[in-house]
Amino acid sequence: MNIFNIIAELCSLIINSCTEEFFVHYSCISNAEKFRINELILEKIPVFFEKERQGLKIFEIHQFSEEELTESLFVDINDIVEKFKSRNYYFAIVGLIQILDESLETILQKRIAEFQEDDFSVVLNTNRETTGIGLLPRTSCVWERKHRLSHSYNRMDNFLFNMLLMENSILGELIDKHFFLKKDLFPNFRENKSLKIAATPLRLNRGFNVIPYSEDMVQYFKIEYDESDYQSENELVWQKILSSSQNESDIIVFPEMLGNPKMTGFISEKIKSLPAEEQQKLPSLIILPSFSTGSYDFRRSFDLCAHDDCNVAWINTCAAIEKGKEQNFENIGYIRKRISRNDDEAQMLCKMPICETAFKGECHRDCIYYETISGV
């Protein structure tokens, strides 16, 4: 039996049986009721808790090892669940789910270490199709708030701390994958607890034409690149990467749309041609975003990212300047940083002012901005 299958079944039961109001009430559960639930679970399955100290019931959750997840334990869990179900005692079932979540923390940490050896993980339970629930190990982030997002939704997964709960009914036809970055992706982060980001608007002139066309009553466009400019453009990008490495940058961000079909291969070959020691000095992430078809107020959109505890780097290109709309380019880019409550709010938004010569049609192609984001 899979312990995560049991948790998925219990979560599915609560989600399908309880209203949103139930989660509001459970979030305000009294200490007396919580104590009562723990006592009932202790009486039936004492192994969930550490031994009493000096005769006091402190309800310290026992951390299970793989070997302790026995069939007899699963039988005991099933018995107490049936008892709670017969009384519609859903508060107690959620309490049991929380105890299971906490008791598996050590096992989940080991699973995370295993998953980090691969690009992404699959869900922990094997009964996702029947329960409509997928469980993934919850990992932490150096920028996240305590109880991140729990104030936003009245949902079952707000009461889990070591697992993420994926509901098929919400995802629809989307497929979720839990990607893990390698521990050594940012070699300087472990010591510095910060990331240095480079961002460049690259250049003023466009090496492409936007060709609009319609098809089936829908407006499309395609990009036609000037092939004669491939070599100079690729060399410019490579020089920016080298400049950012000399400034010990962890990430370099380029603007959308500028580029060409040969660029990725060109940069890849350049990297491969370097000695291993020089490759290690390059930014760990090099980011050529896809082109957005709409016109967005990126400055205001950053506040939405703040809600999710995200740090955001955005850079435009001077090639996007349109005559008569220069006021839109007071700043060519921004970095919005997650800060702690004790930090100066002025540190939150870092502006990248455009070169004064850009509006005159002059470009030296040497603009590159640097900013550091730190853990909070």
Side-chain angles (χ1 to χ4, degrees):
M1 186 66 173
N2 183 326
I3 188 67
F4 300 107
N5 283 7
I6 294 176
I7 297 173
E9 290 175 1
L10 295 178
C11 290
S12 179
L13 170 66
I14 294 298
I15 290 169
N16 292 322
S17 304
C18 302
T19 65
E20 183 176 319
E21 185 180 22
F22 168 85
F23 296 111
V24 175
H25 289 168
Y26 188 82
S27 66
C28 303
I29 188 172
S30 67
N31 291 332
E33 180 61 15
K34 191 70 174 176
F35 188 90
R36 178 169 177 264
I37 292 171
N38 286 341
E39 276 195 317
L40 291 172
I41 296 173
L42 172 64
E43 180 182 352
K44 179 63 178 178
I45 318 177
V47 71
F48 270 135
F49 302 96
E50 298 293 355
K51 293 182 179 179
E52 295 181 5
R53 297 179 185 174
Q54 298 178 344
L56 297 176
K57 293 180 180 178
I58 56 174
F59 298 117
E60 180 181 348
I61 305 298
H62 171 69
Q63 290 294 306
F64 282 113
S65 64
E66 295 277 1
E67 295 73 23
E68 292 176 294
L69 301 178
T70 63
E71 287 299 323
S72 61
L73 173 64
F74 300 152
V75 170
D76 289 340
I77 293 173
N78 183 67
D79 287 345
I80 198 170
V81 168
E82 290 302 317
K83 181 179 179 180
F84 291 155
K85 284 170 61 177
S86 68
R87 298 161 51 189
N88 292 331
Y89 196 1
Y90 296 122
F91 264 35
I93 294 177
V94 175
L96 176 61
I97 293 172
Q98 289 183 302
I99 290 173
L100 284 165
D101 172 70
E102 190 173 342
S103 69
L104 294 171
E105 180 178 355
T106 301
I107 291 176
L108 286 167
Q109 289 300 320
K110 291 180 180 178
R111 295 288 180 93
I112 289 172
E114 293 170 3
F115 290 154
Q116 285 177 328
E117 299 301 318
D118 300 314
D119 290 332
F120 65 91
S121 73
V122 295
V123 293
L124 297 161
N125 56 305
T126 61
N127 60 350
R128 183 169 189 174
E129 186 174 345
T130 56
T131 62
I133 298 293
L135 296 173
L136 290 169
R138 186 188 295 270
T139 56
S140 61
C141 171
V142 297
W143 291 286
E144 71 182 22
R145 300 184 302 276
K146 186 178 180 181
H147 305 316
R148 177 172 179 254
L149 294 181
S150 62
H151 64 284
S152 303
Y153 309 102
N154 297 312
R155 294 160 46 98
M156 181 63 229
D157 50 1
N158 288 338
F159 305 107
L160 302 178
F161 294 96
N162 296 305
M163 285 178 280
L164 289 172
L165 190 153
M166 316 295 288
E167 296 181 44
N168 292 1
S169 61
I170 294 177
L171 289 175
E173 295 183 0
L174 295 176
I175 298 174
D176 54 85
K177 291 184 178 179
H178 197 180
F179 286 89
F180 290 90
L181 300 180
K182 302 296 184 184
K183 284 185 177 180
D184 58 354
L185 178 62
F186 300 112
N188 300 321
F189 184 79
R190 186 183 297 275
E191 180 180 353
N192 301 332
K193 292 294 185 290
S194 64
L195 295 176
K196 190 171 185 179
I197 298 177
T200 172
L202 203 59
R203 64 182 192 177
L204 180 60
N205 58 307
R206 298 187 183 189
F208 60 86
N209 291 313
V210 179
I211 311 297
Y213 68 98
S214 60
E215 187 176 295
D216 296 330
M217 298 182 291
V218 177
Q219 181 70 52
Y220 296 91
F221 68 89
K222 61 182 178 180
I223 305 298
E224 288 188 352
Y225 290 95
D226 179 3
E227 294 187 26
S228 65
D229 198 33
Y230 283 6
Q231 186 64 28
S232 64
E233 184 174 48
N234 292 344
E235 284 291 348
L236 175 62
V237 169
W238 179 239
Q239 291 305 314
K240 296 288 189 180
I241 293 172
L242 293 180
S243 294
S244 67
S245 68
Q246 292 168 3
N247 281 277
E248 300 181 333
S249 299
D250 299 289
I251 301 171
I252 182 168
V253 182
F254 289 98
E256 62 184 1
M257 195 154 74
L258 290 188
N260 59 66
K262 302 289 185 181
M263 183 172 289
T264 300
F266 176 87
I267 299 301
S268 296
E269 290 303 315
K270 281 287 190 180
I271 293 174
K272 292 176 183 176
S273 68
L274 294 177
E277 183 179 347
E278 292 300 312
Q279 290 185 26
Q280 293 298 317
K281 296 179 181 178
L282 294 177
S284 300
L285 290 180
I286 300 171
I287 302 174
L288 299 173
S290 58
F291 179 62
S292 57
T293 58
S295 178
Y296 300 101
D297 188 340
F298 291 98
R299 166 67 182 82
R300 294 186 183 277
S301 298
F302 289 163
D303 291 336
L304 298 176
C305 298
H307 184 268
D308 290 336
D309 293 343
C310 292
N311 293 291
V312 184
W314 173 77
I315 185 75
N316 204 346
T317 171
C318 299
I321 295 175
E322 295 182 12
K323 194 169 177 114
K325 296 184 178 181
E326 289 83 359
Q327 71 274 12
N328 295 334
F329 288 85
E330 178 184 358
N331 294 298
I332 197 68
Y334 300 92
I335 289 183
R336 191 196 188 289
K337 296 193 281 187
R338 164 84 173 102
I339 61 174
S340 71
R341 67 179 66 184
N342 299 319
D343 289 333
D344 183 352
E345 288 193 7
Q347 301 176 37
M348 182 170 60
L349 188 67
C350 305
K351 302 176 181 179
M352 304 176 191
I354 195 170
C355 295
E356 293 182 3
T357 59
F359 297 138
K360 301 176 183 178
E362 300 175 12
C363 180
H364 302 292
R365 296 189 170 191
D366 58 358
C367 289
I368 189 165
Y369 300 88
Y370 297 95
E371 191 57 60
T372 300
I373 57 175
S374 303
V376 294

